[in-house]
Amino acid sequence: MAQSRFDVLTIGNAIVDIIAPAKAGFIEAEGMKKGIMHLIDADRALDLYGRMPTDKQQISGGSAANTAAGVASLGGRAAFVGKVADDALGDFFQQDFHAIGVHYATTRLIHGAPTARSMIFVSEDDGERTMNTYLGACQQLTEVDIIEDEIGGAEITYMEGFLWDPQEAKKAFVLAAHYAHKNERAAAFTLSDPFCVDRYRDEFLDLMRSKTMDHVYANVHELKSLYQTQDLGEAVRQIAKDCELAAITMGADGAMVICDGEVTSVPAFPIDKVVDATGAGDLFAAGFLLGMARGQTLESALKTGCLAASEVISHVGARPQLDLAGLAREHGLAQALDG
């Protein structure tokens, strides 16, 4: 097996998050439900974006994209595959990822839907976040965007379950797993969301049982949904039979990994206050994936994942604000990552 170019390559929806304060009455006047995520069309997206205040904040996002950013912050060699359009927000996404050291070379969508965006209005009175998401170009990922040299050069390729919605992206998902295995690398995916599991339960189980996917990432709600049980122990027993490795986040109770039928668990890192849980699972995946790619023990990789998650939930936003590599050093977790 050739030497790897990347520790972790992630594949997912490329979305620019645009965050702005919302004055009293704006949410209601626009017909939005406060605190809810609304899926919107291109016309609505362009209209809302044009009327956002000048003090808006833009940041490249999407679940797997956040994971790639976390890997880079931990000092890992990260790559991301996701589709943006040949427009201003596509320029921003590419420049942002290059600036944080993530390899990103997916070809742009020409003469098609605009770059995906999630316009997040933060209410001035209580800080509630109301999201308006246009998926646009990110749903146009195809097999052409899956490059064997990139996949084959990554220790682990990690994909988000949300990619299972568009038919062409689904084909890209399976091709990426094929290239990973062809090059003797691991393929992993996250269940992404309980509603995503409800839509594709049988197909997700088939991905695991057919060995198309080696590793599965989920939280306890997604895991229980997958096996249609409220008994966590039963869900753990089921997934132990269905896949080689499953990493499960448990919120304040920490995380566990089920590998070859054995369960290893670690507690969560204590923090003063949970400010925003957005991105917790994405950053846990970053730490655990890099730990696995760099040969950490399962326990150490779990701790690295929980540490990364603890940082991101202590502030607003789904990207780390602190240098995660430095944080890992402070907690004695950097030695294996540096290996």
Side-chain angles (χ1 to χ4, degrees), residues 10 58-62 64-80 92-104 283 318-324:
T10 74
Q58 293 189 165
I59 188 164
S60 301
N66 292 334
T67 296
V71 170
S73 182
L74 280 161
R77 299 167 300 160
F80 174 69
F92 172 81
F93 190 98
Q94 185 174 52
Q95 292 162 6
D96 189 23
F97 261 50
H98 288 172
I100 62 173
V102 175
H103 173 84
Y104 176 62
L283 269 293
R319 289 259 291 266
Q321 291 183 353
L322 296 179
D323 171 30
L324 292 183

Side-chain angles (χ1 to χ4, degrees), residues 76-123:
R77 299 167 300 160
F80 174 69
V81 175
K83 202 76 168 175
V84 298
D86 188 23
D87 57 17
L89 284 183
D91 291 341
F92 172 81
F93 190 98
Q94 185 174 52
Q95 292 162 6
D96 189 23
F97 261 50
H98 288 172
I100 62 173
V102 175
H103 173 84
Y104 176 62
T106 308
T107 56
R108 305 280 194 92
L109 181 66
I110 308 293
H111 305 309
T115 295
R117 65 207 63 190
S118 182
M119 284 155 289
I120 304 165
F121 293 94
V122 183
S123 299

Side-chain angles (χ1 to χ4, degrees), residues 48 51 172 284 308:
L48 274 179
R51 292 191 292 117
F284 167 81

Side-chain angles (χ1 to χ4, degrees), residues 130-151:
T130 302
M131 292 179 280
N132 296 266
T133 301
Y134 168 65
L135 294 174
C138 77
Q139 292 203 306
Q140 302 304 312
L141 190 77
T142 71
E143 290 177 301
V144 174
D145 299 305
I146 306 302
I147 310 302
E148 182 174 356
D149 283 350
E150 290 186 339
I151 305 298

Side-chain angles (χ1 to χ4, degrees), residues 1-10 76-79 81 103 146-158 176 178-186 293-294:
M1 186 167 61
Q3 186 175 5
S4 61
R5 292 173 60 195
F6 311 116
D7 295 301
V8 180
L9 180 147
T10 74
R77 299 167 300 160
V81 175
H103 173 84
I146 306 302
I147 310 302
E148 182 174 356
D149 283 350
E150 290 186 339
I151 305 298
E155 289 288 341
I156 304 173
T157 292
Y158 171 85
H178 167 72
Y179 284 154
H181 292 153
K182 181 181 175 182
N183 289 275
E184 300 180 46
R185 309 292 191 183
R294 292 284 179 90

Side-chain angles (χ1 to χ4, degrees), residues 109-338:
L109 181 66
I110 308 293
H111 305 309
T115 295
R117 65 207 63 190
S118 182
M119 284 155 289
I120 304 165
F121 293 94
V122 183
S123 299
E124 291 181 337
D125 55 349
D126 59 5
E128 189 77 67
R129 293 156 67 91
T130 302
M131 292 179 280
N132 296 266
T133 301
Y134 168 65
L135 294 174
C138 77
Q139 292 203 306
Q140 302 304 312
L141 190 77
T142 71
E143 290 177 301
V144 174
D145 299 305
I146 306 302
I147 310 302
E148 182 174 356
D149 283 350
E150 290 186 339
I151 305 298
E155 289 288 341
I156 304 173
T157 292
Y158 171 85
M159 295 168 266
E160 63 182 65
F162 291 127
L163 275 181
W164 209 246
D165 280 317
Q167 285 299 314
E168 292 305 311
K170 186 180 295 191
K171 295 176 186 177
F173 195 110
V174 174
L175 181 62
H178 167 72
Y179 284 154
H181 292 153
K182 181 181 175 182
N183 289 275
E184 300 180 46
R185 309 292 191 183
F189 81 120
T190 170
L191 298 184
S192 289
D193 179 272
F195 295 107
C196 194
V197 175
D198 288 341
R199 289 195 298 276
Y200 303 115
R201 180 176 294 106
D202 291 343
E203 292 173 74
F204 283 175
L205 286 169
D206 183 64
L207 285 173
M208 295 156 54
R209 291 167 179 169
S210 67
K211 309 304 180 188
T212 302
M213 289 291 141
D214 307 300
H215 305 166
V216 180
Y217 290 67
N219 62 34
V220 289
H221 305 296
E222 294 154 3
L223 178 63
K224 290 176 180 178
S225 176
L226 183 65
Y227 293 104
Q228 297 179 284
T229 178
Q230 290 304 309
D231 184 338
L232 178 58
E234 175 59 24
V236 167
R237 286 188 288 274
Q238 290 288 337
I239 204 165
K241 295 186 293 185
D242 284 340
C243 70
E244 175 187 318
L245 181 150
I248 311 299
T249 56
M250 302 182 291
D253 293 324
M256 72 169 85
V257 60
I258 305 103
C259 183
D260 296 328
E262 297 289 327
V263 178
T264 303
S265 60
V266 301
F269 278 84
I271 64 169
D272 293 334
K273 180 184 178 183
V274 176
V275 176
D276 180 4
T278 307
D282 303 334
L283 269 293
F284 167 81
F288 187 84
L289 284 162
L290 183 57
M292 293 296 293
R294 292 284 179 90
Q296 281 190 332
T297 64
L298 291 174
E299 181 179 6
S300 184
L302 282 172
K303 288 180 178 178
T304 305
C306 286
L307 181 64
S310 74
E311 192 282 336
V312 82
I313 64 176
S314 65
H315 57 76
V316 173
R319 289 259 291 266
Q321 291 183 353
L322 296 179
D323 171 30
L324 292 183
L327 199 61
R329 282 192 294 271
E330 290 175 21
H331 288 83
L333 294 168
Q335 185 173 359
L337 291 179
D338 291 338

